């Protein structure tokens, strides 16, 4: 597993993040096996949120981690969503959420804290006060955001003393608006619509790591595109390339993300141990430029 620097944090992290959103209904034993599979394959960076499984993902993970393992793993969690109600970047919400996560995870520090989804009522100075306090108390070491556009990030960054290291955004073969708009600049077609304010280039220019979430999904949690009869051309192309490298299509889906020079750090979602290993294996596969574009086109995209 090769490593990348997380934004400008100085922290060296594995190229693939292990997502924990779907582990909430697993037993402690199953989660231990999940964590061990990740670690055996070189992936020691785990992504959480206070709301995953209503807090159960963090709790079961916390129970499965022995205290002696804490220094060997990197834990990222998120706050700022009050499910079904609102988004909340207030000082009180951020502090209370982090204290709750620390308790559930059974740790005294979080390596990386992300603000989960933009709060329309965000006051940057208030967020800065919360971040400063959490950092000074040793409760959070690094900070980032999720689902934000460049101006939102810049507005917040302007009030912060520490760099935003991460922006976690949905991205994958079947959800690639940030690539499509770049390829279709100034065109009248649907793919040319810029939906994110140029976040990919902004993050590259400012050395902020993009963490693609739901990399195997099409639409917003509509399902996995692998072996899905809705996408015959894509699956045929991925079969062909997977055979060439002697890997699975799951590996190719992650290799497609890793091939982009932005050094994105995709987040796995599977709880299947074989598929988890397959996702991580993508760090050993480097697709050619031609293969990358063939997959892009097989996903239904056209080149202008
Ligand atoms: N920041 C945000 O707003 C945000 C939003 C959503 C998620 N996230 C993060 O991103 C992580 C990944 O999201 P996700 O769970 O939606 O990811 P995903 O990898 O796109 O989807 C995983 C789901 O697809 C299924 N699947 C079926 N076939 C698969 C295959 N061949 N390979 C891999 N998965 C297959 C998995 O089932 P099996 O378990 O049976 O393999 C699982 O239910 C989450 O755990 C979370 O940490 C962040």
């Amino acid at each position: 597993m090769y490593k990348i620097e997380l934004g400008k944090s100085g922290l060296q992290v594995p190229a693939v993040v292990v997502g924990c959103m779907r582990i909430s209904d697993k037993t402690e034993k199953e989660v231990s096996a999940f964590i061990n599979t990740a670690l055996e394959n070189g992936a020691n960076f785990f992504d959480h949120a206070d709301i995953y499984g209503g807090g159960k993902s963090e709790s079961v993970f916390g129970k499965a981690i022995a205290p002696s393992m804490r220094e060997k793993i990197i834990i990222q969690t998120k706050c700022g969503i009050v499910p079904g109600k609102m988004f909340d970047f207030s000082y009180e919400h951020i502090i209370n959420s982090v204290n709750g996560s620390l308790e559930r995870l059974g740790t005294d520090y979080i390596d990386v804290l992300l603000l989960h989804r933009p709060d329309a009522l965000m006051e940057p100075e208030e967020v800065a006060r919360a971040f400063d306090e959490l950092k000074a108390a040793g409760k959070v070491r690094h900070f980032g955001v999720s689902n934000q556009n460049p101006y939102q990030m810049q507005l917040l960054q302007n009030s912060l003393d520490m760099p935003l290291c991460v922006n976690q955004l949905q991205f994958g073969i079947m959800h690639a608006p940030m690539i499509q708009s770049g390829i279709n600049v100034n065109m009248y077609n649907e793919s040319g619509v810029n939906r994110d304010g140029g976040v990919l280039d902004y993050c590259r220019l400012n050395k902020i790591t993009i963490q693609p979430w739901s990399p195997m999904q099409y639409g917003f949690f509509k399902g996995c595109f692998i072996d899905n009869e809705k996408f015959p051309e894509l699956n045929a192309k991925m079969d062909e390339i997977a055979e060439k490298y002697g890997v699975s299509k799951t590996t190719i889906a992650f290799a497609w993300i890793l091939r982009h020079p932005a050094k994105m750090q995709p987040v796995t979602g599977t709880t299947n141990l074989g598929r988890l290993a397959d996702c991580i294996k993508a760090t050993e596969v480097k697709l050619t430029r031609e293969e990358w574009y063939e997959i892009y086109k097989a996903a239904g995209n056209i080149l202008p």
Side-chain angles (χ1 to χ4, degrees):
M1 165 74 77
Y2 65 87
K3 298 204 167 182
I4 58 166
E5 183 183 354
L6 192 75
K8 291 179 190 158
S9 68
L11 187 67
Q12 291 295 312
V13 295
V16 171
V17 177
V18 181
C20 297
M21 182 178 74
R22 299 179 192 263
I23 65 167
S24 58
D25 59 351
K26 303 286 173 202
T27 64
E28 199 180 315
K29 204 173 154 203
E30 286 167 334
V31 173
S32 288
F34 174 79
I35 294 168
N36 287 336
T37 300
L39 295 179
E40 280 158 18
N41 287 279
N44 70 338
F45 189 119
F46 298 89
D47 181 65
H48 283 273
D50 53 355
I51 57 167
Y52 290 164
K56 283 191 193 149
S57 291
E58 288 183 333
S59 301
V60 68
F61 187 91
K63 289 196 184 94
I65 291 284
S68 61
M69 283 169 77
R70 179 62 188 98
E71 287 297 316
K72 298 187 182 90
I73 63 170
I74 299 167
I75 299 180
Q76 173 173 279
T77 194
K78 313 183 200 76
C79 66
I81 296 182
V82 185
K85 246 178 131 181
M86 61 182 177
F87 303 118
D88 190 348
F89 288 3
S90 65
Y91 169 86
E92 289 76 17
H93 182 81
I94 294 171
I95 299 288
N96 289 340
S97 167
V98 168
N99 286 335
S101 290
L102 289 172
E103 198 175 324
R104 286 188 293 275
L105 288 162
T107 180
D108 52 9
Y109 71 96
I110 284 160
D111 295 277
V112 189
L113 177 72
L114 307 185
L115 298 175
H116 208 154
R117 260 193 190 278
D119 170 12
L121 305 183
M122 174 185 82
E123 297 193 32
E125 302 79 8
E126 191 178 358
V127 175
R129 186 158 65 91
F131 281 12
D132 282 346
E133 196 174 300
L134 290 168
K135 194 165 170 74
K139 290 183 177 181
V140 177
R141 295 185 174 175
H142 304 283
F143 299 85
V145 297
S146 178
N147 305 306
Q148 293 205 5
N149 70 28
Y151 273 120
Q152 291 169 326
M153 298 179 79
Q154 219 170 336
L155 179 66
L156 176 58
Q157 183 63 73
N158 210 29
S159 293
L160 298 179
D161 288 333
M162 67 285 281
L164 291 171
C165 302
V166 172
N167 189 2
Q168 198 174 99
L169 295 149
Q170 184 175 6
F171 180 72
I173 294 173
M174 285 307 301
H175 186 96
M178 55 173 136
I179 296 282
Q180 290 163 333
S181 60
I183 287 182
N184 291 275
V185 169
N186 202 31
M187 305 289 290
Y188 276 123
N189 62 34
E190 173 69 10
S191 298
V193 177
N194 186 333
R195 294 187 160 80
D196 55 43
V199 74
L200 175 59
D201 294 326
Y202 177 83
C203 287
R204 289 182 79 179
L205 281 166
N206 291 282
K207 203 166 184 302
I208 294 162
T209 300
I210 291 181
Q211 293 179 341
W213 58 261
S214 289
M216 312 294 285
Q217 302 285 305
Y218 65 96
F220 189 61
F221 300 119
K222 280 196 168 159
C224 180
F225 55 80
I226 302 274
D227 292 329
N228 188 321
E229 60 186 16
K230 286 194 170 88
F231 310 105
E233 200 190 328
L234 175 61
N235 276 283
K237 177 52 70 183
M238 291 181 76
D239 266 330
E240 180 194 315
I241 296 174
E243 197 181 328
K244 174 185 158 190
Y245 288 96
V247 298
S248 70
K249 289 193 291 255
T250 302
T251 302
I252 297 300
F254 270 69
W256 187 83
I257 295 171
L258 293 169
R259 178 63 178 80
H260 193 279
K263 295 193 177 68
M264 290 189 241
Q265 193 193 19
V267 189
T268 66
T270 183
T271 56
N272 174 293
L273 304 190
R275 286 201 273 272
L276 177 59
D278 280 358
C279 295
I280 299 169
K281 198 177 173 53
T283 55
E284 295 164 23
V285 174
K286 184 166 182 193
L287 299 178
T288 66
R289 184 180 294 266
E290 287 78 5
E291 287 161 351
W292 190 91
Y293 272 99
E294 280 170 13
I295 291 171
Y296 177 73
K297 287 186 287 179
N301 297 299
I302 48 159
L303 302 182

